[in-house]
Amino acid sequence: MATGRGRLLLQHWLGLQARRLPLGGVGAAPGRGGFRKGAGVEFAAGWTMLKQDARCGRKCEGPSAACAVSLDGMPPEILLKILSYLDAVTLLCAGCVNRRFYHLANDNFIWIRIYSTAFSPKRSSWKVNSVAKTAVSANLLSVEDKEAGYWKKAYITKQIASVKAALAQLLKPVSPYTGLPMKTKEAIRISGLGWVIILKEKSGREYVMEHVELSVNDSSVTIVWYGKAWPRLATLSALHLCGVTPVFMDRSRTPTRNGPYELPPHSPRLDDTPEHGLHGYQLHVDMHSGGVFCLCSTFRDLFTKKGHIENGYAKLIVIHFKNNTEHLPLVGKVGLSWRTDVFDGCIKSCSIVDMTLLDEYGHPFWCFSSPVCMRPSPRPSDGPHFWGQTYHVDYADSAGRLHMELVWITETEEHFIVSLVLYLSVAKINHWFGTQY
């Protein structure tokens, strides 16, 4: 504005000169050719300012405006006044501009007002306006004797603690079928939890891909990524999956990457049963694809014996091959749906299996969620004879193995599960129950 105003005044002055006004110019009294008292000083000062504005205008016409006013050149008192109108999230972002703004955004007087407004004691008998309440709270709390950033840390710590307390209360109810919290979907919504994939190229460049879709099942969460901006697989050197939560629970979210999740320590429970840890199991298994479930079943009172322990695994039979009454059909066609911004399709004979195995106390002993594929297998020589192609599904991790046998019934066009066997790791059983099998 100063540069534009100087240029306009200069043009006006040159116009007056072209018209050959009296020597007094705009400063002369009407009807007189001389100056007013003190007009020469005013005129000289004005002309000096015009020349300075003209020089400044010529300098500022280029791409680098050297005479432009910047926030960094403002005094700290004005900047603190501006920052005092920001909310907590915007204040944190402002502190990332540079070192000066970081120190200004740590001001205790700003953060103590935010803290006292957010966590002021609630009163039902009388009410005061927010400004008065903030002033009272600020007077009660100490500011000057605390180091810079103290009340910012206190506010963030209390915000995180309040969210954790709300989540702990929400996750208390447990499903009797899966042994997992019943309100996982509500907990994810309240915490703002999301997921990102970080793709790192060999050159060091990183791509951060946020999840596109999220669906919550009884015992798993399915996250979907797709897009046209993915880098070529041949150029990648690493892939990282990170959970992301906002610092503050409001519309303006500042995401932070969470560290790796660690299971809480487990203490074995002692039992006088001779075959402790080999009985009383309960299994809940789901098979789904793209939100469509083809199997959802619960099996109770599962057990095994010492004689079924072989090669470091305890055999736990869920569905017997020779017992037709235990065989289960899969609803609909099995296939893993996929899509991008342009195309979509389905991978036949593939699905996602969610399994939760509870111990005799109802605690999750073994849980996993993994995509699996039905592969053709030779027809068994023993047991009932089926008219149709047989398939098998296998999964394994450090806790055990899963083996499933299926058969395709041509007449009804559906798959039947004719055998389901779990092989539990003996090392896992000994660690969980304190046994020595």
Side-chain angles (χ1 to χ4, degrees), residues 394-429:
D394 291 285
Y395 171 83
D397 60 22
S398 60
R401 296 188 289 114
L402 176 145
H403 180 73
M404 182 186 300
E405 295 283 346
L406 304 98
V407 64
W408 172 255
I409 306 300
T410 307
E411 290 78 4
T412 58
E413 295 187 348
E414 58 185 347
H415 289 91
F416 266 81
I417 301 177
V418 296
S419 176
L420 179 58
V421 182
L422 302 181
Y423 297 88
L424 306 183
S425 169
V426 175
K428 170 75 172 180
I429 294 176

Side-chain angles (χ1 to χ4, degrees), residues 176-233:
Y177 300 102
T178 64
L180 302 175
M182 299 176 61
K183 299 182 178 180
T184 305
K185 188 174 184 178
E186 291 83 352
I188 292 177
R189 179 181 57 81
I190 289 179
S191 65
L193 177 63
W195 284 267
V196 297
I197 287 180
I198 302 176
L199 305 174
K200 188 173 182 179
E201 289 186 336
K202 298 175 183 178
S203 61
R205 183 180 178 183
E206 288 188 352
Y207 298 83
V208 180
M209 320 294 292
E210 296 184 0
H211 76 270
V212 180
E213 292 182 3
L214 185 149
S215 60
V216 181
N217 306 321
D218 291 338
S219 53
S220 70
V221 177
T222 304
I223 309 137
V224 179
W225 286 268
Y226 59 81
K228 294 178 291 186
W230 291 70
R232 296 174 56 190
L233 293 177

Side-chain angles (χ1 to χ4, degrees), residues 51 62 78 136 173 180 215 240 263 298 302 333 352 373 376 423:
K51 290 192 294 183
I78 297 179
V136 172
L180 302 175
S215 60
H240 301 282
L263 292 173
T298 301
L302 303 177
K333 295 183 179 181
I352 298 176
C373 182
Y423 297 88

Side-chain angles (χ1 to χ4, degrees), residues 82-237:
I82 296 174
L83 295 178
S84 66
Y85 290 100
L86 303 181
D87 58 85
V89 175
T90 311
L91 199 57
L92 286 179
C93 295
C96 299
V97 174
N98 53 33
R99 182 172 297 183
R100 186 188 184 201
F101 273 80
Y102 173 78
H103 292 295
L104 290 173
N106 276 357
D107 184 74
N108 278 332
F109 285 95
I110 297 177
W111 281 102
I112 199 173
R113 184 165 13 176
I114 297 175
Y115 181 95
S116 57
T117 302
F119 303 110
S120 59
K122 295 180 173 58
R123 307 176 187 269
S124 58
S125 58
W126 57 276
K127 296 181 180 180
V128 295
N129 57 48
S130 58
V131 177
K133 182 167 57 176
T134 301
V136 172
S137 302
N139 290 333
L140 295 177
L141 300 173
S142 177
V143 179
E144 296 181 354
D145 59 342
K146 301 294 184 182
E147 69 277 6
Y150 173 85
W151 288 109
K152 181 182 78 172
K153 296 177 183 178
Y155 177 78
I156 295 175
T157 302
K158 196 157 185 177
Q159 281 280 9
I160 295 175
S162 61
V163 173
K164 286 184 176 180
L167 291 177
Q169 194 69 21
L170 191 64
L171 295 176
K172 279 185 177 180
V174 176
S175 170
Y177 300 102
T178 64
L180 302 175
M182 299 176 61
K183 299 182 178 180
T184 305
K185 188 174 184 178
E186 291 83 352
I188 292 177
R189 179 181 57 81
I190 289 179
S191 65
L193 177 63
W195 284 267
V196 297
I197 287 180
I198 302 176
L199 305 174
K200 188 173 182 179
E201 289 186 336
K202 298 175 183 178
S203 61
R205 183 180 178 183
E206 288 188 352
Y207 298 83
V208 180
M209 320 294 292
E210 296 184 0
H211 76 270
V212 180
E213 292 182 3
L214 185 149
S215 60
V216 181
N217 306 321
D218 291 338
S219 53
S220 70
V221 177
T222 304
I223 309 137
V224 179
W225 286 268
Y226 59 81
K228 294 178 291 186
W230 291 70
R232 296 174 56 190
L233 293 177
T235 64
L236 299 181
S237 62

Side-chain angles (χ1 to χ4, degrees), residues 339-417:
R339 73 169 174 269
T340 66
D341 296 333
V342 181
F343 305 104
D344 59 8
C346 183
I347 305 175
K348 296 181 179 180
S349 301
C350 292
S351 64
I352 298 176
V353 172
D354 302 336
M355 195 202 77
T356 304
L357 184 66
L358 307 182
D359 61 14
E360 59 182 300
Y361 307 106
H363 298 158
F365 173 80
W366 181 24
C367 302
F368 72 83
S369 178
S370 174
V372 297
C373 182
M374 293 192 306
R375 304 182 185 278
S377 60
R379 186 169 298 176
S381 58
D382 58 341
H385 180 71
F386 298 102
W387 294 97
Q389 176 66 50
T390 57
Y391 300 86
H392 69 275
V393 172
D394 291 285
Y395 171 83
D397 60 22
S398 60
R401 296 188 289 114
L402 176 145
H403 180 73
M404 182 186 300
E405 295 283 346
L406 304 98
V407 64
W408 172 255
I409 306 300
T410 307
E411 290 78 4
T412 58
E413 295 187 348
E414 58 185 347
H415 289 91
F416 266 81
I417 301 177

